[in-house]
Amino acid sequence: MAKSKFSCQSCGHQSVQWLGKCPSCAEWNTFVEELEESSVANKGERSSSLIQKISQNKSRTKQNLGNTKPKALNKIESTETIKLSTKIQELDRVLGGGLVDGSFSLIGGEPGIGKSTLLLQTLGILSEKKKVLYVSGEESVEQIKYRADRLKVRSENLFVVSETEWEKIILMVEELDPDVLAIDSIQTAFTNEITSAPGSVSQVREVGARLMHLAKKTGIAVFLIGHVTKEGTIAGPRVLEHMVDTVLYFESVGGHSFRLLRAIKNRFGSTNEIGVFEMASTGLVEVKNPSELFLQERPNGSPGSVVVSSVEGNRPLLVELQALVSKSSLGNPRRTVLGIDSNRASLLIAVLEKKIGLQLYDKDVYINVVGGLELKEPSADLGIIAAIISSFRNTPLDAKAVFFGEVGLTGEVRSVSKIEERLKESQSLGFKRAYLPKRNLKKTKEFNMEIVAIDSLQDLIDKI
Ligand SMILES: Nc1ncnc2c1ncn2[C@@H]1O[C@H](COP(=O)(O)OP(=O)(O)O)[C@@H](O)[C@H]1O
Ligand SMILES: [Mg+2]
């Protein structure tokens, strides 16, 4: 007999009755009735025993089988950290070096952004060395073939099937014995042991848990695609994020054909890394020098425009940042910022007013990071201040200069990390001058750029 329960489609919270507001995540109108079989005692048992069987078939994971017993840390072989390069540098970077056996990765993004394209390209490359199974619930095998031809993916070791039912998928895995499994997408996959619709929280959680079990028990690397809702979260599976090792998020930047891949969670590497791609007719092409991309439409000689250097993960990026200061007709002038933290912007504006006496209380201040990037590092502070001053004075800054440095509440300019990397990137893009913290001066010798050392905001005002 089926009994019904209600699940929050945002966070997975369950209740026996319908609720307007979720007590767990405070979202409104997210409860949906889901039917559940009452005889769930042996739920997933068949799937578990199949997974056990697959794992026994896999000779390379045999040594892991008796793993349920505690083991001394130094007796555990560190084989599982070997990373297999996807040969797509931008993806390797985000994955923290490459693909790990038995890893479980979730790739999220809006419909049409290019998740299936990226996945198929990656699987094509991985299949040169590994046996790969691509299960699509969204496209027929003919459609996948058509796409593969366009992307020039052809391989004897890449197997594709159009299937959505978990019970059938796991049988195929057992038969084919792949090293890599990709499921496109979690919203279409379902297990017939639960009656609720594919894409509901119960299904997402159940299929996700089984995939995790499969990855960890057998060493198969699993990729899972998840669509995101219009609010920008991966639909339903907030529950999934705890299970997977890596959450990659695919988004477009500034509405162009450029795509940004970022790691939101990564058990095997840094989460600050970003990968940049361009969507072309032959598929996603890596953008090797994203700084050029973010600077290409920069206006020359405009007040309020500045180039800052931000380090995302290990990679320095040069980005244009713009400020606009205009007279306000409001009692409470506007502070609108995009791409940086608004509290940080308010703080810098306050420092400017207090320390320099810049009259901003009757001005609207707008700040925007060009290209839709989010800058998280405080090293953009000096650039933000320079842009505000430039717009305030209506005089452009040196177009061939970059700025970086953190600004403190007393108006002091504090040192930042990775100076050499930032300067190297600036120099290679033709910048001639760098405004940077005085304390960072000693690491700047080998560069063929004019270095302007700044120790306070007053110092900056005098030198720009
Ligand atoms: N023949 C084509 N030539 C160029 N680009 C294409 C072609 N077909 C599809 N695309 C691009 O691929 C995108 C679809 O990517 P896809 O990987 O299916 O996205 P997702 O899996 O995230 O929904 C489309 O938005 C389109 O821009
Ligand atoms: Mg797709």
Side-chain angles (χ1 to χ4, degrees):
M1 201 195 78
K3 75 173 183 202
S4 80
K5 66 181 165 55
F6 295 84
S7 312
C8 168
Q9 300 297 304
S10 169
C11 71
H13 183 86
Q14 296 193 338
S15 157
V16 290
Q17 62 184 27
W18 188 85
L19 299 171
K21 183 182 179 185
C22 176
S24 167
C25 67
E27 292 285 333
W28 287 90
N29 279 331
T30 54
F31 276 82
V32 168
E33 183 172 16
E34 291 179 353
L35 290 173
E36 193 180 32
E37 296 298 324
S38 54
S39 60
V40 288
N42 60 357
K43 190 176 85 179
E45 212 171 70
R46 222 171 94 74
S47 156
S48 273
S49 64
L50 263 177
I51 290 176
Q52 192 70 21
K53 200 164 151 210
I54 298 168
S55 139
Q56 272 157 3
N57 289 344
K58 281 211 172 290
S59 55
R60 70 188 154 80
T61 52
K62 265 190 178 150
Q63 77 235 32
N64 291 338
L65 274 178
N67 249 351
T68 36
K69 267 199 283 176
K71 258 189 181 175
L73 192 57
N74 58 5
K75 297 253 168 67
I76 300 174
E77 285 179 50
S78 42
T79 45
E80 64 237 67
T81 47
I82 294 175
K83 293 178 176 173
L84 174 70
S85 166
T86 61
K87 288 201 203 147
I88 302 178
Q89 260 184 30
E90 298 292 305
L91 179 63
D92 279 354
R93 183 199 308 282
V94 178
L95 284 172
L99 189 66
V100 178
D101 276 349
S103 60
F104 186 12
S105 318
L106 177 65
I107 304 177
E110 288 172 17
I113 201 84
K115 301 180 293 298
S116 306
T117 308
L118 177 69
L119 191 61
L120 194 56
Q121 282 182 277
T122 311
L123 297 179
I125 294 165
L126 287 174
S127 66
E128 287 168 12
K129 290 211 176 117
K130 303 259 179 184
K131 199 194 263 183
V132 179
L133 175 59
Y134 176 35
V135 183
S136 176
E138 310 205 330
E139 287 157 314
S140 66
V141 286
E142 291 77 22
Q143 282 172 316
I144 299 172
K145 170 71 179 153
Y146 173 73
R147 188 198 296 260
D149 285 345
R150 179 162 63 86
L151 303 177
K152 304 212 165 39
V153 172
R154 57 177 75 86
S155 161
E156 288 175 2
N157 261 331
L158 174 56
F159 294 82
V160 294
V161 62
S162 182
E163 183 53 70
T164 50
E165 189 182 332
W166 167 255
E167 282 69 23
K168 293 196 179 132
I169 296 174
I170 187 73
L171 282 174
M172 288 172 203
V173 172
E174 194 215 355
E175 200 186 308
L176 188 70
D177 190 26
D179 304 298
V180 180
L181 171 69
I183 307 281
D184 188 356
S185 64
I186 185 68
Q187 274 84 15
T188 55
F190 71 99
T191 159
N192 60 25
E193 285 168 18
I194 298 180
T195 47
S196 49
S200 64
V201 168
S202 312
Q203 286 287 4
V204 164
R205 190 193 340 236
E206 195 54 41
V207 176
R210 290 179 191 189
L211 282 170
M212 177 178 74
H213 191 190
L214 177 71
K216 300 301 158 199
K217 274 281 173 198
T218 64
I220 296 177
V222 176
F223 284 106
L224 181 59
I225 283 191
H227 295 293
V228 298
T229 60
K230 53 183 180 312
E231 289 85 32
T233 53
I234 297 170
R238 228 181 269 173
V239 278
L240 267 183
E241 292 189 4
H242 307 292
M243 289 181 209
V244 300
D245 299 313
T246 315
V247 180
L248 305 181
Y249 197 94
F250 211 34
E251 59 198 354
S252 73
V253 250
H256 302 294
S257 58
F258 295 103
R259 302 282 184 274
L260 220 56
L261 185 68
R262 68 168 84 236
I264 296 185
K265 166 181 176 180
N266 191 354
R267 288 195 178 133
F268 312 112
S270 155
T271 51
N272 297 325
E273 298 291 353
I274 59 169
V276 186
F277 297 89
E278 181 174 8
M279 180 63 105
S281 61
T282 50
L284 290 155
V285 185
E286 299 172 65
V287 176
K288 293 269 159 64
N289 196 339
S291 293
E292 248 169 57
L293 160 73
F294 292 117
L295 293 179
Q296 64 191 4
E297 287 170 40
R298 191 176 174 225
N300 255 342
S302 297
S305 160
V306 68
V307 174
V308 299
S309 148
S310 173
V311 177
E312 297 283 331
N314 287 317
R315 161 196 281 185
L317 265 186
L318 295 186
V319 214
E320 184 192 352
L321 186 147
Q322 298 179 333
L324 180 70
V325 178
S326 63
K327 190 154 172 36
S328 180
S329 52
L330 302 167
N332 217 346
R334 251 187 262 269
R335 306 283 183 246
T336 306
V337 300
L338 285 173
I340 57 166
D341 180 40
S342 60
N343 287 327
R344 185 113 212 130
S346 307
L347 185 146
L348 293 174
I349 291 170
V351 174
L352 265 175
E353 291 199 295
K354 176 85 179 168
K355 294 292 157 192
I356 311 294
L358 205 65
Q359 189 181 321
L360 291 170
Y361 63 84
D362 57 352
K363 308 274 192 312
D364 292 330
V365 179
Y366 303 88
I367 300 170
N368 180 34
V369 178
V370 177
L373 271 188
E374 292 268 335
L375 300 185
K376 302 213 173 65
E377 249 203 328
S379 72
D381 289 359
L382 199 67
I384 297 170
I385 299 259
I388 294 175
I389 296 172
S390 159
S391 178
F392 185 92
R393 291 177 173 168
N394 208 20
T395 40
L397 296 163
D398 178 0
K400 290 277 171 223
V402 289
F403 290 77
F404 42 89
E406 181 178 349
V407 173
L409 281 182
T410 64
E412 84 278 18
V413 175
R414 310 172 74 104
S415 60
V416 293
S417 61
K418 300 208 161 73
I419 286 296
E420 285 104 331
E421 286 89 335
R422 293 173 204 265
L423 286 174
K424 210 164 130 207
E425 177 82 359
S426 313
Q427 190 171 306
S428 70
L429 283 172
F431 285 88
K432 302 278 183 245
R433 187 188 287 181
Y435 291 84
L436 47 75
K438 203 168 201 165
R439 281 170 170 263
N440 283 131
L441 203 53
K442 53 181 178 301
K443 289 191 175 158
T444 61
K445 301 244 159 50
E446 60 193 88
F447 292 93
N448 189 17
M449 291 175 78
E450 184 193 341
I451 305 292
V452 187
I454 307 287
D455 68 353
S456 68
L457 283 196
Q458 191 55 54
D459 200 17
L460 178 72
I461 297 263
D462 298 340
K463 289 177 179 165
I464 55 175

